[in-house]
Amino acid sequence: MTANHKGVTLVGTPCQIIAAAKIEHYPETLGESPVDFKLGLFCMENFSHSYLKEFLKQNEIEMGDVDQFRVEKGHFWAYLKNGDVFKTPLSKAKACMRKNCQVCVDYTSELADLSVGSVGSAPGWSTLIARTEKGLQALQNAENKGYIETKPLEQSGLKLLENLANKKKKENKGEIRKRESVARPVIYRRYMSDAEFETEVASCQFDDLKSDVIDIGGCVLCGACYYACPENIISIEDRKPQLRGNCPSECNLCYVACPRTYVSQEILSRDLDQKALGDYLKIVSARATNVEGQDGGVATALLNYILDENVTEEVVVVDKSEQNPWKPEAVLTSDTEEVKKAAGTKYSACPVFKVLKDNDNKEKEVS
């Protein structure tokens, strides 16, 4: 499969970033990756939109009345448009959490070019981690051109961030062991070489993806399987991938692209488990200089820089549905106003790769 998009920045959670890394790693199998820059988000967990909607309803709150959600200091917060604030212990909101989040051990998007999140920095600032030379250059250029300002991350902030990242690793490794003990394997944690990966997935098709990932609560709803399918017979309905046809013989692309099937050590190395924040070149506190936004507006400012300076031609961001309040929808855009509109954390999963495939199909129809 060959993607029409050249030069896209993907804003994504750790699991979505892993999918982007897999697609990038196998160009001969999956075609050239459309994602040229990965902007990863800190993420402890995501919530099912439908479960969250019901949870709020039980507390006499409608989704459409919420102006902003926050998860911090052990609590789940909903700031309402009328000025009221709903606060509940995070343990009570855990029932809304997607099952796949319980086996994720990556808090800071360790495979991104740049990672960003609020933890570790003062109010109004974000923590920004450059992991690759490409990410470091973007950070430095965005600062030099006045999109962001930075300052050293305080040691207390770094320690807090490392503690939280280690907490996620420790707790979710325990959940992985628990699932393995009852024959619910978490296969993305099986370390293997590229050669072993190719052998392992050679005969795997959508039915295997369904049994190995989807049916056991492992699907992260990234849309990578939908994106990779050359026959366009995978749909995403009821928040899960579905097969609407017959897979061609020997086609395993959906299984290859999924971030919760096997991941080779060349992509996700074993030693990352020993590093709270993964590998990185630089870590700072940052805030935007010319836009307002959640936690200093850093993600929005970086995307403005990326589009203004043509680092990539387009970006994939997640906005909210106009018809279904707070239901996330991926948007492919080159418009900084759309980027600004999509600012803020949504706290629910969204198939970000679906918008890339849908746009490819539209372009093919036109041509």
Side-chain angles (χ1 to χ4, degrees), residues 283-337:
I283 183 167
V284 296
S285 285
R287 67 180 178 186
T289 58
N290 55 5
V291 296
E292 294 183 1
Q294 186 171 317
D295 303 317
V298 172
T300 300
L302 287 169
L303 293 174
N304 286 347
Y305 156 73
I306 284 168
L307 291 175
D308 289 346
E309 301 298 323
N310 202 32
V311 176
T312 65
E313 296 174 359
E314 297 171 292
V315 300
V316 175
V317 294
V318 177
D319 201 354
K320 299 188 292 288
S321 168
E322 297 287 345
Q323 291 75 35
N324 197 344
W326 284 98
K327 185 173 183 179
E329 290 185 346
V331 177
L332 177 67
T333 184
S334 59
D335 185 348
T336 55
E337 286 302 312

Side-chain angles (χ1 to χ4, degrees), residues 38-51:
K38 301 183 290 292
L39 181 59
L41 306 173
F42 295 2
C43 180
M44 184 60 76
E45 65 267 304
N46 258 316
F47 300 96
S48 162
H49 179 268
S50 57
Y51 288 173

Side-chain angles (χ1 to χ4, degrees), residues 123-190:
W125 293 74
S126 284
T127 301
L128 189 57
I129 306 175
R131 302 187 178 279
T132 64
E133 290 295 339
K134 186 187 298 184
L136 181 60
Q137 184 178 20
L139 187 161
Q140 293 171 338
N141 288 347
E143 183 173 20
N144 291 339
K145 292 180 179 294
Y147 287 86
I148 62 172
E149 61 176 308
T150 72
K151 63 181 181 180
L153 183 68
E154 295 184 4
Q155 279 300 117
S156 59
L158 177 60
K159 187 66 175 177
L160 174 64
L161 181 59
E162 289 176 337
N163 286 344
L164 196 57
N166 278 327
K167 180 176 183 289
K168 181 174 182 178
K169 287 180 186 288
K170 181 179 179 180
E171 290 182 355
N172 289 2
K173 283 180 184 177
E175 176 64 23
I176 290 170
R177 289 191 293 270
K178 179 180 176 182
R179 292 193 186 189
E180 294 276 1
S181 70
V182 293
R184 295 182 67 190
V186 182
I187 59 177
Y188 93 98
R189 300 288 298 168
R190 306 282 176 85

Side-chain angles (χ1 to χ4, degrees), residues 20-41:
K22 286 190 76 175
I23 293 171
E24 181 181 25
H25 191 71
Y26 298 110
E28 293 183 1
T29 303
L30 297 170
E32 184 180 353
S33 172
V35 177
D36 193 52
F37 194 94
K38 301 183 290 292
L39 181 59
L41 306 173

